[in-house]
Amino acid sequence: MKTHLNLATADLDRAVSFYSTLLNAKPTKALTDYALFVTEQPGLELALDLHDVVLPSDDAHYGIFVETPGEVACAMERLTAAGLAASVEREHTCCYANQTKVWAVDPDGRRWEVYTVHDDTDDRDGDETTCCSPES
């Protein structure tokens, strides 16, 4: 089973570069107005469509759950080396869980996190984290 997402982008080349780094994969299909990523980890089909105007929601974000802190560290290294890591949260409480994550923002303003969960918590959010709220 795979999740399918179709996202509009105003700059296909920059979007392909971003998602190649985020997903650590190359597109399986790349045309002048469309790109498709098909990945097993995560199980995803991500289509990018070229549009003149893109209006991403400011009340949503996207995430890729990984099993280990080491996998988050690999994503941090990849995103940081490409200049795409927006922030890093280590062992912060967010959404009733102690998590480690790296945040990145795609060229059209969509927030993505690569994260792992260490433990469940009784607290919704911690004082030390921006959690799932948009960064100012």
Side-chain angles (χ1 to χ4, degrees):
M1 180 182 306
K2 289 186 171 116
T3 298
H4 173 79
L5 293 176
N6 186 298
L7 303 177
T9 182
D11 188 330
L12 188 60
D13 291 338
R14 284 183 59 217
V16 166
S17 179
F18 174 86
Y19 286 102
S20 292
T21 303
L22 179 72
L23 299 170
N24 199 26
K26 297 295 178 198
T28 57
K29 192 181 286 188
L31 305 165
T32 59
D33 62 347
Y34 178 85
L36 177 68
F37 290 85
V38 179
T39 61
E40 295 302 320
Q41 292 295 324
L44 178 66
E45 289 189 6
L46 173 65
L48 301 172
D49 272 313
L50 186 60
H51 285 239
D52 291 334
V53 177
V54 178
L55 302 171
S57 173
D58 64 356
D59 65 350
H61 73 274
Y62 305 88
I64 298 171
F65 171 79
V66 295
E67 295 290 335
T68 68
E71 290 172 283
V72 176
C74 288
M76 286 178 192
E77 289 174 17
R78 257 191 344 269
L79 291 165
T80 300
L84 299 172
S87 64
V88 172
E89 297 173 7
R90 288 184 171 87
E91 297 189 23
H92 287 193
T93 299
C94 177
C95 300
Y96 298 98
N98 179 270
Q99 304 176 24
T100 293
K101 61 180 73 177
V102 58
W103 288 97
V105 180
D106 85 357
D108 296 291
R110 292 178 197 91
R111 296 177 69 234
W112 281 86
E113 62 179 324
V114 177
Y115 70 101
T116 195
V117 173
H118 304 290
D119 290 301
D120 289 334
T121 67
D122 292 332
D123 296 323
R124 167 77 165 95
D125 302 321
D127 294 335
E128 74 283 356
T129 183
T130 59
C131 194
C132 300
S133 62
E135 294 179 30
S136 25

